[in-house]
Amino acid sequence: MIKEVFNRMLSRPKKYKTEIVPADEAGLARAAALLSAGENCAIPTETVYGLAASAFDDHAVGRIFTIKGRPQDNPLIVHVSSVSMIWPLVEEMDSRIEILAKNFWPGPLTLVMKKSGLISNVVSAGLDTVAIRIPAHPAALKLIDLCGFPIAAPSANLSGRPSPTSAEHVYADLKSKIPLIVDGGNCLVGVESTVLSLVGEPTILRPGRITAAALSKLIGPVALAKGVTEEPQEGEQVASPGMAHRHYSPSAKVILIEGNRANYLHYLHENSQDNVFALCFDEDIDGLEQIPYLSFGDVKDPEEAERRLFSALRELDEKGAATVYARCPDHTGRWLAIFNRLQRAAGFEVIRFEKDK
Ligand code: TXA
Ligand code: MG
């Protein structure tokens, strides 16, 4: 009984004066010392910032769920700095791991595999699998090497909020909940990694910058989980628990408008009221007249849209947007990741115009 109470206290978050430190030698040494002592801190990766804990410390991992307000059924990604760190964590190394590693790691790809006994049920949320990736941010790699253990880290936002792509975003969400944020600058990718399950038929559970087409060139057919493009139904079993939860939402109500430029502008003007904002492409701007806006950038540049997406969703709140009409991007190739995040930010509310009308 006393042990139980003590354990609960160990995983209970304390109040901190949150410090932001640069990702230099001193900053990374402090982060490594904290993680080694069973504390949490936020770290940069090339995709989004992560809220870190030693993957071998159940109390520190458990605290991640409390700090974020994360549902207990949503497993975490484990970050390593080399392929050799993976084999003790999985049931068996399959040859596809080496092939994918050679082509995409370090980088925005997460692989789901059968876990070994070293991965606890706290990390995997009770599943018999584990999600692992080698991140590309040099500070994240250096930190893992300094620690000498794998780092469990979900995105460092409050659950349900847009993922953080800068140290300031993390501070806005987690101030006083964690002791340290390592500032590695703005994230170069900007949306979270592609999650690919290698258990059974290779399946993308969450789309990201690395597309199904790029993956299937190396490992053959790759399926898309149903939840990637469709709204999960109440009580439905989803391959990736994270896909079932409301996500990425700013306080403003986001509505996606699917149609061409003319459809979009027409709808906006018909529905424009106070505090209605447009989240559009550069090509829409000259048709907006007085409607305030933020832009994803060039309609032909998915990488720019990825970099801007989450920070735009946060900025719209800062500007006092009540309703945001977002122009729906394409659903194919590189755009799928952006479409998938926007659809969730909009709670699947999409207004569709017929093609070419
Ligand atoms: O880019 C990223 O992946 C970032 C950075 C910090 O690495 N991390 C991230 O973590 O986005 P998080 O926790 O926000 O999203 C992890 C996703 C969730 O949708 C979760 O359900 C899924 O990966 N996931 C994790 N472990 C899984 C498993 N064993 N089986 C299926 N899905 C899993
Ligand atoms: Mg997340």
Side-chain angles (χ1 to χ4, degrees), residues 30-41 43 52-54 143 147 149 151:
R30 281 187 62 190
L34 281 167
L35 295 176
S36 303
E39 298 275 350
N40 305 94
C41 64
I43 62 166
S54 161
L143 179 61
C147 289
F149 48 74
I151 291 179

Side-chain angles (χ1 to χ4, degrees), residues 45 47-51 68 70 74-77 79 110 112-113 123-124 127 129-131 133 153-155 157 163 191-193 195 205-206 239-243 247:
T45 84
T47 55
V48 301
Y49 276 70
L51 173 56
K68 278 180 61 91
R70 184 181 179 93
N74 196 1
L76 306 181
I77 293 175
H79 299 72
T110 295
V112 174
M113 298 160 276
V123 171
S124 71
L127 299 178
T129 53
V130 59
R133 85 177 186 103
S155 49
N157 51 299
S163 296
V191 297
E192 307 90 336
S193 58
V195 178
L205 307 181
R206 179 179 70 184
S240 180
M243 284 283 139
H247 245 108

Side-chain angles (χ1 to χ4, degrees), residues 250-304:
S251 306
K253 184 173 175 54
V254 179
I255 297 165
L256 271 178
I257 312 293
E258 183 161 9
N260 59 28
R261 178 179 183 273
N263 301 143
Y264 178 63
L265 291 175
H266 181 74
Y267 189 89
L268 264 177
H269 287 291
E270 294 266 292
N271 292 278
S272 157
Q273 295 167 9
D274 281 353
N275 300 323
V276 164
F277 276 65
L279 181 54
C280 61
F281 289 106
D282 286 352
E283 66 170 20
D284 303 318
I285 293 172
D286 63 1
L288 291 173
E289 294 163 19
Q290 300 301 314
I291 301 170
Y293 69 89
L294 284 181
S295 172
F296 295 121
D298 191 311
V299 72
K300 292 205 168 59
D301 189 349
E303 293 189 6
E304 187 179 14

